């Protein structure tokens, strides 16, 4: 799949088989997830399904769990999403699972950057005070499918909002906007291991039962799909699992919070934390990297926030 509007395609299908465990968008975070704080600001029509379904972190569960507009729109339908964090964009997942016949015929996506949140007022035409930039041209979509479309070159510009347009109407269950957080420099103490400040989980030994990326989401999740990093059960007493988090920026560490909420019986027996400084994307590949133990093995209780100095 490529862009037919240009001799040079701007995007490609990152997962033609629709079942790859990893692909070119796997290393990015979903900026348009409610778990990141994203929200739908306004939509042209929500006759058969709320536009807020677009940003749910969970997988869609049928036609009622999608944004679906009324039929026979003479123009097009749109929804404007405020991203959870500003960032550059690498691609999209247009998810129509659960829609078989009610999906949109085609979809396009635009983005913009609104520096001041007070100015982010969407008018009746789906416009903001700044101009929209085309990110994904009009592409045909199929029912009951995921369309994971990667940009050949991630954007250099940062974006705070995206607008998805349905041509001419129909439905989409979820919209994932994959990219890299570009956060404002911080002063004083902040959470360097939070996705909204730019942290990333770059590797984990296992995340069979709960995504490693859940480790760094902000706040306490009430959605089972984002409630923590969870590995398969081990059948030996000396087994351990690990995850490597690239912090948002280098910093002096003062406190660590290890949160087992809401696990009760599924929490680890204990945890320890090491830290290093490396300019490599993955410090495991840095032969000069040295890991320092900053929190020794500590027993963990169920359903508790453990704070360590």
């Amino acid at each position: 799949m490529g862009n037919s509007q240009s001799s040079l395609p701007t995007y490609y299908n990152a997962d033609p088989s629709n079942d790859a465990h990893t692909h070119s968008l796997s290393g990015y975070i979903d900026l348009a997830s409610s778990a990141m704080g994203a929200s739908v600001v306004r939509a042209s029509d929500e006759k058969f399904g709320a536009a807020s379904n677009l940003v749910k972190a969970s997988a869609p569960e049928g036609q009622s769990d999608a944004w679906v507009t009324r039929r026979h729109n003479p123009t097009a339908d749109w929804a404007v999403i405020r991203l959870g964090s500003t960032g550059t964009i690498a691609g999209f997942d247009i998810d129509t699972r659960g829609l078989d016949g009610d999906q949109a015929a085609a979809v396009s996506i635009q983005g913009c950057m609104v520096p001041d949140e007070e100015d982010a007022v969407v008018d009746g035409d789906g416009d903001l005070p700044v101009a929209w930039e085309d990110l994904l041209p009009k592409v045909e979509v199929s029912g009951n499918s995921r369309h994971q479309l990667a940009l050949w070159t991630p954007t250099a510009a940062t974006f705070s909002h995206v607008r998805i347009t349905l041509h001419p109407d129909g439905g989409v269950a979820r919209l994932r906007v994959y990219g890299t957080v570009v956060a404002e420099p911080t002063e004083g103490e902040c959470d360097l291991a939070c996705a909204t400040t730019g942290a990333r989980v770059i590797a984990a030994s296992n995340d069979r039962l709960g995504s490693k990326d859940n480790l760094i989401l902000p706040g306490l999740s009430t959605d089972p799909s984002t409630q923590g990093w969870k590995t398969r059960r081990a059948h030996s007493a000396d087994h351990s699992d690990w995850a490597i988090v690239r912090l948002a920026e280098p910093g002096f560490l003062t406190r660590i919070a290890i949160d087992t909420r809401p696990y009760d019986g599924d929490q680890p027996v204990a945890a320890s934390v090491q830290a290093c400084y490396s300019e490599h994307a993955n410090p495991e590949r840095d032969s000069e990297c040295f890991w320092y133990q900053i929190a020794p093995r500590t027993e963990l209780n169920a359903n508790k926030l453990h704070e360590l100095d």
Side-chain angles (χ1 to χ4, degrees):
M1 180 181 290
N3 178 7
S4 61
Q5 299 177 2
S6 170
S7 59
L8 293 176
T10 58
Y11 67 94
Y12 63 94
N13 193 335
D15 182 17
S17 65
N18 245 324
D19 62 0
H21 181 64
T22 59
H23 48 72
S24 58
L25 292 175
S26 299
Y28 295 96
I29 198 159
D30 179 13
L31 300 174
S33 171
S34 59
M36 284 281 289
S39 61
V40 175
V41 180
R42 189 169 180 175
S44 59
D45 185 89
E46 300 174 278
K47 178 69 173 178
F48 299 112
S52 58
N53 290 325
L54 285 170
V55 299
K56 285 183 177 177
S58 58
E61 300 180 355
Q63 184 171 336
S64 62
D65 191 21
W67 173 43
V68 185
T69 68
R70 71 183 71 231
R71 295 176 181 235
H72 311 303
N73 189 335
T75 54
D77 281 313
W78 50 264
V80 175
I81 297 171
R82 180 183 62 80
L83 302 178
S85 293
T86 59
T88 58
I89 294 176
F92 309 92
D93 180 3
I94 303 167
D95 192 343
T96 61
R97 286 178 294 175
L99 298 173
D100 189 3
D102 265 345
Q103 77 279 0
V107 168
S108 62
I109 300 174
Q110 298 166 298
C112 71
M113 178 67 192
V114 183
D116 191 340
E117 184 63 28
E118 293 183 359
D119 295 332
V121 178
V122 181
D123 66 19
D125 295 321
D127 288 324
L128 284 159
V130 297
W132 290 102
E133 178 180 335
D134 292 336
L135 296 174
L136 186 71
K138 186 177 176 180
V139 296
E140 295 182 357
V141 295
S142 305
N144 215 24
S145 302
R146 296 179 68 180
H147 308 77
Q148 303 193 82
L149 308 179
L151 302 180
W152 279 110
T153 303
T155 65
T158 57
F159 296 89
S160 61
H161 293 73
V162 296
R163 179 171 67 181
I164 177 173
T165 301
L166 310 182
H167 302 276
D169 50 43
V172 168
R174 299 287 188 273
L175 176 65
R176 315 292 187 196
V177 179
Y178 294 113
T180 301
V181 171
V182 179
E184 293 292 328
T186 56
E187 295 184 4
E189 189 177 72
C190 69
D191 184 0
L192 294 175
C194 184
T196 56
T197 59
R200 292 300 315 279
V201 181
I202 59 173
S205 57
N206 182 272
D207 63 352
R208 176 68 179 241
L209 303 177
S211 173
K212 66 185 188 307
D213 295 321
N214 292 341
L215 266 178
I216 58 173
L217 291 176
L220 178 63
S221 175
T222 57
D223 184 338
S225 67
T226 58
Q227 282 179 343
W229 169 45
K230 191 174 181 182
T231 65
R232 72 177 76 223
R233 287 182 181 268
H235 299 287
S236 62
D238 59 350
H239 177 84
S240 62
D241 282 303
W242 52 264
I244 298 176
V245 177
R246 187 190 70 198
L247 301 180
E249 55 184 299
F252 296 98
L253 309 184
T254 56
R255 293 184 297 125
I256 297 171
I258 302 175
D259 196 348
T260 60
R261 296 174 297 177
Y263 290 141
D264 187 358
D266 278 349
Q267 79 279 2
V269 173
S272 61
V273 182
Q274 297 173 303
C276 71
Y277 177 84
S278 175
E279 295 183 1
H280 284 60
N282 186 341
E284 294 289 275
R285 299 170 185 165
D286 184 355
S287 60
E288 298 182 359
C289 173
F290 182 81
W291 289 94
Y292 297 86
Q293 181 166 281
I294 57 174
R297 179 185 169 96
T298 302
E299 292 189 1
L300 299 181
N301 297 316
N303 199 27
K304 181 180 178 181
L305 177 64
H306 304 74
E307 293 191 291
L308 310 174
D309 290 329

